[in-house]
Amino acid sequence: MLEIATRASSDLQWGLLTSLYVGLDEPHVAQLEYATKCRVFGRYEEAESQLLDCLEKKWSSAAVMELVTMYDRMGLEHKRALWAREILDTAATDSQLIPESLQHLCKLHLAESEVLTQGRLRAALREARHFRDWQIQFAVSQYTDIMIAGVCLYHAVIKLCRNFSNWLEHRIDGNLPATDQATAMSSLACVRKCLLDQKRILEATQVVRHESRLKDSPECLLPFQEWFPAAETHLNMKNEIAVNATATTRVFFADRLNDLGEKTQAKEELSKARSLVISLSKDAFEEHNPRLAFLSKMVLQSIEVATDPLQRIEQYSEISDIASQTGETHMQRVFLRQAYSVADDYADRGTDCILRQAIIARRDQLLSRYLDFEVEETKCSYYTASCLISVGFIMIMQHRSSEWLDCFAAFENSSAEFDIPDLGVRVYATASSAARSQADEELAQRYQERSHQFKTQAHYVRINDEGKVEETSDLAEDYIYEWGQEVPGASNIMERHMCISSKIILRWVPLEFARNQITEFEAKAILCWEHVQSIENSAVFNFESWAQSLSPKSLCDLIYGTTTPTEPKRWHTWLAVVEPWLRRDDLGPSILHRHNLLKAISRCRSYLWGISRPVPAPKENIIQSAFEFEKDLQIHLSLDQRVIFRHEIWLCQSTIARHFIILGLSTVAREEGLINDQMLNNAKIILEDIAAHHRQDKRMRILHDILKLLATCSWTRYLNYKTVSPLDSLMYLEEADEVFRTMLNSSSILDGSRSFFAKHTLAEDVDQHEVYNAAVRASLAAFIEYANKHKLEIEKDPEAVVANSEAQNLGQNIIQWTQKSKSRSLTDVMGLGAWVPTALLSEARRQPSAARLLELEDELTRELENATVARKLHIRDSLRTIYQEMRKEPTLIPVLDIYEGTTVTSRELIEICANFEQDIVFVDWIHVRWLGDWDLAILLYRNGVFVGFFILPMKLQRVEDWIKENLDSSTQTWESDEDAKFCPLIGRSASRVIRQLEPLINPLEQATRPGELLVFSPTLALHRIPLHALNMNSQPIITRNPIVYCQSLSLLRLCLRPRIEQIRSDTAVFAPIAFSPLANEIETAELVEQVASCLGVTCEGLSSEPKQSFISRISQSNFVHFHGHVRFSESDPLEHHLELAPVPEDPDTELSSDQILTAREILNLQLPHGCHITTISCKSGRAKISKSNELLGLIASFHYAGASSVVTSLWNIYRPDGVEFSKAFYTHLMDQLRFPKPGSSLIDMASAMRAAVLATRVDENGRTRAPYHWAGLVLNGAWILGLDAAWKVRASSEPAQDRTDKPKVHFGGTGERRATL
């Protein structure tokens, strides 16, 4: 579409506002005329140079206004505003120098420019109204050239307000034809006719072009059709100015003809324009008037647009590039946007898969270019908002939300006064979606509220008599807006659409009935009159009155049903009337409105039937639901393609396939022959085709869902028909996990806590735990098949069979998927700032290609920190490419595995165990549902080698019930303690109660040996259980084995890595520090001081700013003991916090934010890598366990901040117990430090933990105490510390209690903490 680009002058002069020539000398006017001619011909640099030279010689408003006009034509809004202010500033100092009409014109220029640059639409409307109030005192016949330009700008501003707001009042803002109205501006048609009557032909040209843009119907041609005869009669076609004006107007006329589909006539007009120019000049058309030639080429390209979408994209891109080279910034934007729109439209609606793939790649290139152009180059808020809306959906679907939000933040920061309602609604709604995808609910809510504020002022919204907002536009271009309105009480989009569809029906039917466009029978049937019992037997009934009294909610219930969906027979009878009614194209609202309504009705029906099925659903319900979706698909395929998107078709098809899979899981359906393997295979084919499309589109979330369906389909076929292998479903699950990893990339560029929550929220939203559970199930099934196949060999030599490569590969599948299912988000974000061993980096850097990639990554990562928004987009694209290349380098794969938090492998577990002399058994509990009573299971890895799994007789639900009964509901308290606490497992029955859980560890009696280190990795609710306290042969298992806990074995690998590296390089440092905020409690303070003395330190207090003081100290120590209060909230686990000040005496007083340190804040700390934290506090080990098996609380936060090991308590702790445990724990640690085993270079924290727990288990009389006192204390993470040689020598020569000074803290290490994309 062409923007108004050239305006004619009066008489035979090039200047736009020749009335400003009065008083200027001839040389000045001649230079102005030459500059203006250069501007008209598109030689902008020369025109600018000449005009600035004019101003240098003598300031004139004529020269300034030519600059304003030139920058307006070019689309350089910031420069346009700058020179408009020049006029107004001059008027402020000398009002006599600047005519009042010119001041008003410049204010309009400035107002329109600020709409585009800052989004100040309301200010522009105010200025337009001021201009109108001044101008209406003049008759049209009195209008000067300045006034004419002002009227054109006024109507341009009014059009913006009409299109983007509901602020206009027709009485004062209308476009009325009369000239004597005291309340409204004259219409452009009126001005044009008057000018033509006065034979002011050239001045009428700008009015003609503006007027044609105000209409989109054939009426837009009328101004041209009346102007051309006048021009032929009154203009001298041998004059260059007249010829240029006529030729340019013909080009614009051709453009409007093309818009209306009159391509042949449009070509004729272009030919006439060319002939006119050539008739005056011997030069080629392109040389004589380059700008007119460029405009002609643009229109011709639009007329002869390529049928091939890829060629069409290149056509538009080429024009955009030419516009860029010639300084036509606005035209560059128009055709860049068109190229992107064509690519985006075909990507969504195209059917040729190969072509779609090429176009999607081109679309992504154009997306970056479009963003760069608007956000970084032009920086105009109006266009930037439009751009962000256009690309927002795609970027969010591609999980590039954080990049989009960066661009949006730049837009918001530069557009503080943005108030364009229609754009505001959409751009802030998009921002809310993007923020929500990044797990920032607070920001999402803020953006959503801002969107709602704009919505009340949108052009399609009106305020009804009750003061409520209604969205009721039936204009063709507004067919989509009404569906976005909020509906009170609607909990989701489908419930909203049911209410909105009822409201639209109730608006259209009475109106069309009153116009006799539909019969009374049709109207009654559509409004479900026969189903309203209260009027069926009424003798006197007025249909119109009844229809007016019917509320949208009542009609919604009649159409869709209330508690259950409308019965099928009644529904299809109703739809048989409604469908042909909505397909009619001879009624009021556009066919787009009507088809969109039919689509919504059909979709709501199928949705309702789908969610109303009982679980498990009888086969009849499933079959009926499939039928409803089949009908929905038929309707979608038959509607106007402008209201249908390809992904909606695919949704219908995938839902039908889903129903086949559900039937496949039904024993009754299989027995009755309602489903068979061939039907499931057909469903697979449909789903694979849909997956291929979404793979091309990079619609990752939908692709993820389709892949889960495909995996379920394959599993169903394996389980019931044995026509495929269990590993077939793994193929789809592996891709689903890769898709999930791709979606996570957007979160990886956020800071620590935001990244963690974004990843966790995404895992919850897409139900990634279902992928992991299904993959574990399939892996186990494959292993069982292998075991059954080799049953006889296993009986002879089980270890040899298990050590077989095939068995180990199957075992690796199991470990891979079980570890992916645990603490995945934490493992991912820990990898981003992970300690990369020097040995790995050194090996990689010996390879030139790998070294170069590392250098490039470092350079780009450093540049990313200070890059502009647009530059960040390019850097991130480059980093993605670099990571793909790094994956091809064998020496860099281990480094990337650390970055990406890749799950631990059996090989890595074996390598970890090789560092220790003792045998290590990893005990991994999983929750898997498959056959019969399968529920909880144990997987065992001895020294890293998978040795088997055991199905447990206890189910997860029983464990959860036990927790509620025994850990959450106890009311017993220590009456002697000043703090009333829940004290679980403390009574005489505690031992009997805890024995109920012994089935959870029973397999370990035969599968493990006494003295072996057991690494426990629980799952879900088992994290609440003191598994080390469960009995084996009548004694707690911790009396038999040292035990350490970890959230996942992958996380354990990251925790051990810095400790092992320090031991290998002999750079370990032991620099302990102890804190207690309980100094006002004398008895407690004395006990804590005893604990500190065991570490050879004194207990430190905190300053008047306890949070900053505490953070500062723990950031410089690699061994921290905290003895104080911790508060845990299940509803908000990230507010799990350490209290850094004494408890206030006033029970109504709470500690300030500076006196607590929350789990959320700890996530953003950077502690010495590999440090240890002990928290002797109530519930410091508690965490909220999400359905994705993520633990949210202090332990996860400390691990992410850098801690390799954390000692915590599972429940409320009795203070003397905490002191006794700590003293025993540190005494054993210090003994190992003072008297290390010969040749040993490490401290075994697991054995110290075991000794401390056993010491706490008995009282001073040697009697066994209740589990409450000792079972809640656990060690999480790494179980080793490196020996600090300097401290060892010092410790052997000084008594611990006399040593108050501490060695110098050193954190050299031999690794690098690297930040990545």
Side-chain angles (χ1 to χ4, degrees), residues 626-788:
F627 174 79
E628 298 290 349
F629 276 96
E630 182 67 40
K631 175 64 177 176
D632 187 28
L633 175 61
Q634 293 171 4
I635 288 176
H636 274 70
L637 291 172
S638 65
L639 294 178
D640 190 308
Q641 291 304 295
R642 288 174 292 176
V643 303
I644 297 297
F645 297 96
R646 293 283 299 174
H647 68 267
E648 293 175 324
I649 303 292
W650 297 329
L651 177 62
C652 294
Q653 292 173 331
S654 64
T655 307
I656 294 169
R658 188 191 301 268
H659 283 82
F660 282 122
I661 296 170
I662 295 172
L663 281 174
L665 295 171
S666 168
T667 303
V668 176
R670 292 196 306 273
E671 291 174 350
E672 294 184 4
L674 298 175
I675 189 72
N676 56 45
D677 184 65
Q678 183 58 50
M679 295 169 70
L680 289 173
N681 189 55
N682 292 340
K684 184 200 77 165
I685 293 171
I686 292 171
L687 292 172
E688 284 184 335
D689 180 61
I690 295 171
H693 288 297
H694 288 307
R695 204 177 284 119
Q696 282 185 341
D697 289 351
K698 299 181 183 177
R699 295 177 184 266
M700 297 303 177
R701 191 171 294 230
I702 303 175
L703 175 59
H704 186 270
D705 188 53
I706 297 298
L707 290 169
K708 287 197 297 181
L709 271 180
L710 279 164
T712 305
C713 184
S714 290
W715 176 256
T716 305
R717 297 180 69 198
Y718 162 73
L719 193 63
N720 299 312
Y721 302 101
K722 295 297 185 290
T723 52
V724 295
S725 162
L727 295 179
D728 278 23
S729 63
L730 272 182
M731 174 181 66
Y732 299 117
L733 296 169
E734 285 169 355
E735 185 181 356
D737 190 51
E738 283 300 312
V739 169
F740 179 66
R741 300 289 305 158
T742 302
M743 290 190 281
L744 289 180
N745 285 342
S746 176
S747 307
S748 297
I749 58 179
L750 305 173
D751 60 67
S753 60
R754 288 178 62 205
S755 179
F756 172 74
F757 296 120
K759 290 170 183 288
H760 174 252
T761 301
L762 179 63
E764 298 273 290
D765 287 349
V766 301
D767 291 322
Q768 182 66 7
H769 65 284
E770 293 181 356
V771 172
Y772 297 144
N773 291 342
V776 170
R777 180 180 62 191
S779 300
L780 287 173
F783 191 86
I784 290 173
E785 281 197 348
Y786 172 84
N788 289 335

Side-chain angles (χ1 to χ4, degrees), residues 379-391:
K379 297 181 180 177
C380 290
S381 296
Y382 171 87
Y383 295 116
T384 301
S386 300
C387 173
L388 289 171
I389 292 166
S390 297
V391 305

Side-chain angles (χ1 to χ4, degrees), residues 777-1056:
R777 180 180 62 191
S779 300
L780 287 173
F783 191 86
I784 290 173
E785 281 197 348
Y786 172 84
N788 289 335
K789 181 179 177 181
H790 298 275
K791 186 174 182 180
L792 294 177
E793 294 120 283
I794 291 174
E795 290 175 355
K796 294 177 181 179
D797 189 354
E799 291 187 4
V801 176
V802 170
N804 177 277
S805 60
E806 183 181 355
Q808 285 303 306
N809 287 336
L810 293 172
Q812 178 55 41
N813 275 342
I814 295 172
I815 187 174
Q816 172 189 349
W817 290 108
T818 54
Q819 293 312 300
K820 282 183 177 181
S821 69
K822 295 185 175 185
S823 300
R824 190 72 183 126
S825 302
L826 181 60
T827 306
D828 287 339
V829 293
M830 283 185 69
L832 292 175
W835 184 275
V836 181
T838 303
L840 285 180
L841 290 172
S842 298
E843 182 181 355
R845 285 170 177 152
R846 281 196 288 269
Q847 299 293 328
S849 56
R852 178 57 185 155
L853 288 171
L854 284 172
E855 289 174 8
L856 285 172
E857 184 228 3
D858 283 338
E859 291 172 7
L860 290 173
T861 302
R862 286 194 298 270
E863 185 184 353
L864 189 64
E865 295 177 3
N866 301 311
T868 63
V869 171
R871 178 60 185 151
K872 283 181 178 179
L873 296 176
H874 297 296
I875 293 173
R876 286 167 182 158
D877 282 340
S878 299
L879 280 170
R880 290 187 186 96
T881 303
I882 286 173
Y883 289 138
Q884 290 173 1
E885 292 300 313
M886 290 172 78
R887 273 285 168 200
K888 300 175 184 177
E889 295 287 337
T891 57
L892 288 178
I893 291 176
V895 177
L896 287 177
D897 286 345
I898 295 174
Y899 287 173
E900 298 172 2
T902 306
T903 54
V904 69
T905 64
S906 179
R907 178 181 57 81
E908 288 175 308
L909 287 179
I910 293 170
E911 291 175 355
I912 288 173
C913 295
N915 292 284
F916 311 106
E917 296 180 358
Q918 69 187 129
D919 287 331
I920 302 171
V921 179
F922 299 100
V923 185
D924 205 6
W925 280 268
I926 63 170
H927 180 230
V928 56
R929 293 176 179 173
W930 177 14
L931 294 173
D933 293 331
W934 281 42
D935 196 79
L936 289 172
I938 285 180
L939 306 178
L940 291 181
Y941 308 87
R942 181 180 300 284
N943 295 323
V945 178
F946 177 65
V947 293
F949 68 95
F950 304 87
I951 304 302
L952 301 178
M954 179 170 281
K955 294 190 176 183
L956 181 63
Q957 184 60 54
R958 176 68 188 98
V959 175
E960 292 172 347
D961 293 341
W962 185 93
I963 290 171
K964 290 179 183 178
E965 294 168 8
N966 299 288
L967 299 186
D968 293 337
S969 303
S970 177
T971 57
Q972 294 174 294
T973 62
W974 281 96
E975 295 178 359
S976 60
D977 197 349
E978 68 275 15
D979 295 325
K981 306 173 183 176
F982 288 118
C983 301
L985 305 178
I986 194 172
R988 293 180 179 179
S989 62
S991 297
R992 175 179 54 80
V993 168
I994 205 169
R995 279 201 297 270
Q996 297 172 11
L997 298 178
E998 288 178 9
L1000 294 175
I1001 65 163
N1002 280 347
L1004 300 184
E1005 183 175 0
Q1006 299 297 322
T1008 64
R1009 295 185 284 269
E1012 291 178 323
L1013 173 66
L1014 304 185
V1015 180
F1016 282 1
S1017 179
T1019 186
L1020 299 172
L1022 271 65
H1023 285 284
R1024 294 285 309 278
I1025 303 297
L1027 295 164
H1028 61 284
L1030 302 185
N1031 285 347
M1032 182 180 291
N1033 293 326
S1034 303
Q1035 291 294 320
I1037 190 172
I1038 197 168
T1039 63
R1040 175 180 181 265
N1041 299 85
I1043 294 171
V1044 63
Y1045 288 78
C1046 64
Q1047 295 180 23
S1048 76
L1049 301 184
S1050 296
L1051 179 60
L1052 179 67
R1053 172 194 56 181
L1054 293 174
C1055 291
L1056 282 168

